[in-house]
Amino acid sequence: MSPQEQPIALVQAFVEAIHQQNWNRLTSVVAPNFIRHSYAGCEPSIYSRDDLVSFLKQEYTIFPDAQETIEVLIASGDRVTVRHRFRGTQTGWMETYPLLTEC
């Protein structure tokens, strides 16, 4: 695998592990000091790999059929840009989501 392909394969492994809810695999591809930077819909603060796994487990409780589809994936050096689409049926209340922060 070329150096250009490695970051793309990492992102694909990340998304696949989430879809499979394979938290052990996810922790093998995510750094312990992972920080998620997202401003979509008052996203929760995620400052570690453990926070990420907790967030995703809660997300699957609220959206049991959640799926993310990669629409665009571009790599340049060690940086990757991803445009993705999230779809899922909401079956629970977001207000009870402990990791949500105020907007």
Side-chain angles (χ1 to χ4, degrees):
M1 182 179 311
S2 75
Q4 181 79 13
E5 294 169 322
Q6 289 174 348
I8 290 173
L10 181 64
V11 170
Q12 290 170 329
F14 174 84
V15 171
E16 287 170 11
I18 293 170
H19 283 171
Q20 296 166 359
Q21 297 181 50
N22 185 337
W23 311 125
N24 290 330
R25 183 173 179 216
L26 182 65
T27 59
S28 75
V29 298
V30 175
N33 59 346
F34 174 90
I35 297 175
R36 182 175 186 219
H37 301 279
S38 178
Y39 299 102
C42 302
E43 288 294 321
S45 301
I46 297 175
Y47 296 106
S48 72
R49 177 174 57 198
D50 292 339
D51 285 351
L52 175 65
V53 172
S54 293
F55 166 77
L56 292 168
K57 285 179 177 180
Q58 292 170 27
E59 185 174 70
Y60 273 104
T61 299
I62 296 169
F63 299 94
D65 60 349
Q67 284 288 310
E68 291 198 39
T69 305
I70 296 173
E71 295 184 342
V72 177
L73 183 58
I74 302 169
S76 178
D78 66 349
R79 308 253 177 191
V80 178
T81 300
V82 181
R83 183 176 70 202
H84 61 97
R85 179 180 307 265
F86 176 87
R87 299 189 105 171
T89 306
Q90 185 173 347
T91 61
W93 294 98
M94 298 293 285
E95 289 85 11
T96 60
Y97 212 1
L99 289 176
L100 278 177
T101 58
E102 304 250 344
C103 297

